[in-house]
Amino acid sequence: MPIPDFQSAMLPVLRLTQDGKDHTLGEAVEAVAVEFKATEVERNELLPSGRQRRIHNRVGWAKTYLQKAGLVEANGRGRFRITPRGQQVLQGKPTRIDMKFLEQFPEYTAFAALKHDAPDAPPSAPELPVSDETPEEVLEESYQELRRRLAEELLERIKACDPRFFEKLVVDLLVAMGYGGSRKDAGQAVGQSGDEGIDGIIKEDRLGLDVVYLQAKRWNSTVGRPTVQAFAGSLEGQRARKGVLITTSDFSREARDYVKHIEKKIVLIDGTELARLMIDSGVGVTEVATYTVKRLDLDYFGDEE
């Protein structure tokens, strides 16, 4: 039996989690391989990029769609488990779960409304509808969707790590963005003050002409104005002009409005922005494949565009 398309893998993945325990993607891949009696050759078949096994890719997308529909949920460190909704679905003894089946859930409907269904799935999945978009549009949307999924995975991992690792991550990110001078200098600065709500101090440039005060909040709840206002007060106590407040969650509207109307320059970086900066700066991520898109060189042929 050939490797199942990603939709056919959805039900086996959900069945794996019916014990209520946390499971890894590797366990899900093994469960699907066993159910579909995949041979050793099929298990090791690679995508055209040669960087990932095809079955691993498809099971990963199956799990993503189940999560978008609220049937499974992430539990940190790359693990996931079934939700009460997922248990209820299994009690109905479905013979198949696919995108059509998932349309009954509002979370999935909202996700599908973004019109990323075709890019989401592996190109070889036969059930996917034909896209009306041009290849360039499909490629761009696929790239953006991959970034969104990677950002979600980054935040899951960060929230599951201890506070010390988060402090190190913040330093690595700022250094990668050009702040803090050397990694050694930045590492010595952050986490040493612990004074008046300041988690660290880092050079704004290599010469150290100015400094930026930091506060890092590895939170799940929204950061409100009182927390931001307290950080601004800490800057005042240090006679500092600039500060960066980084959180793994989000900031309330009142908090964002507050920093717009004060003299000091405070930059708020929420979880979404944090993940984006990490991806752009190459922190905590690794390159899988690079695709170069080319077009006809009209100048070479002497044509006018």
Side-chain angles (χ1 to χ4, degrees):
M1 184 179 294
I3 298 174
D5 61 84
F6 81 104
Q7 296 189 75
S8 297
M10 291 181 186
L11 183 54
V13 171
L14 187 60
R15 283 177 179 156
L16 170 69
T17 65
Q18 63 185 340
D19 58 4
K21 299 179 180 179
D22 292 347
H23 291 277
T24 64
L25 184 59
E27 292 172 346
V29 169
E30 180 62 22
V32 171
V34 170
E35 176 155 341
F36 286 87
K37 299 180 175 59
T39 66
E40 196 65 26
V41 173
E42 291 168 338
R43 286 170 178 255
N44 292 311
E45 182 182 348
L46 300 175
L47 292 173
S49 65
R51 301 298 184 92
Q52 188 181 31
R53 290 181 174 83
R54 187 179 298 277
I55 189 171
H56 194 100
N57 178 269
R58 292 182 176 179
V59 173
W61 284 117
K63 177 246 179 186
T64 294
Y65 271 73
L66 292 173
Q67 187 170 331
K68 293 295 184 182
L71 304 188
V72 300
E73 61 183 4
N75 196 31
R77 296 191 178 277
R79 295 177 176 273
F80 63 99
R81 61 190 175 193
I82 197 167
T83 64
R85 176 184 288 175
Q87 294 282 16
Q88 185 176 5
V89 165
L90 287 180
Q91 289 173 6
K93 301 185 184 305
T95 57
R96 176 179 171 83
I97 295 178
D98 52 23
M99 292 192 295
K100 185 68 176 177
F101 180 92
L102 298 179
E103 289 177 359
Q104 63 185 289
F105 305 113
E107 295 88 345
Y108 175 79
T109 303
F111 166 71
L114 297 176
K115 296 183 179 180
H116 294 302
D117 299 89
D120 278 349
S124 55
E127 286 96 344
L128 287 179
V130 177
S131 174
D132 293 329
E133 300 170 305
T134 67
E136 291 85 356
E137 291 171 332
V138 171
L139 180 62
E140 175 62 22
E141 290 193 9
S142 297
Y143 171 71
Q144 294 299 332
E145 183 60 34
L146 287 171
R147 280 181 61 98
R148 278 189 287 271
R149 185 187 181 198
L150 176 58
E152 291 176 357
E153 293 176 345
L154 274 172
L155 283 178
E156 288 176 12
R157 288 301 182 95
I158 294 171
K159 291 177 180 179
C161 295
D162 59 62
R164 282 187 172 274
F165 182 86
F166 186 47
E167 290 179 3
K168 174 182 178 298
L169 184 154
V170 169
V171 174
D172 290 341
L173 175 60
L174 291 174
V175 170
M177 293 173 63
Y179 295 93
S182 69
R183 178 62 178 81
K184 180 180 179 181
D185 291 341
Q188 290 176 342
V190 173
Q192 294 300 311
S193 67
D195 185 39
E196 297 182 5
I198 302 296
D199 292 333
I201 306 170
I202 195 166
K203 295 177 182 177
E204 186 177 27
D205 52 53
R206 292 183 178 274
L207 296 178
L209 295 176
D210 204 350
V211 295
V212 177
Y213 287 74
L214 308 173
Q215 190 172 88
K217 298 291 186 184
R218 191 175 60 87
W219 286 8
N220 289 318
S221 57
T222 300
V223 178
R225 171 171 171 164
T227 300
V228 179
Q229 195 166 352
F231 179 53
S234 300
L235 295 182
E236 184 66 31
Q238 298 291 331
R239 295 185 178 180
R241 298 179 301 159
K242 302 174 182 178
V244 177
L245 205 167
I246 303 177
T247 183
T248 51
S249 57
D250 197 3
F251 295 96
S252 67
R253 185 179 63 182
E254 293 78 12
R256 295 184 183 278
D257 289 341
Y258 172 73
V259 298
K260 295 177 182 178
H261 299 93
I262 60 176
E263 183 180 355
K264 299 186 183 303
K265 180 62 176 180
I266 296 180
V267 175
L268 304 180
I269 300 178
D270 61 17
T272 300
E273 179 70 4
L274 172 62
R276 185 189 70 79
L277 292 173
M278 289 178 65
I279 294 172
D280 290 342
S281 303
V283 176
V285 298
T286 185
E287 185 176 291
V288 175
T290 300
Y291 300 93
T292 301
V293 180
K294 298 183 179 182
R295 67 174 183 177
L296 188 67
D297 186 347
L298 299 179
D299 291 334
Y300 178 83
F301 291 99
D303 296 339
E304 293 184 1
E305 190 167 2

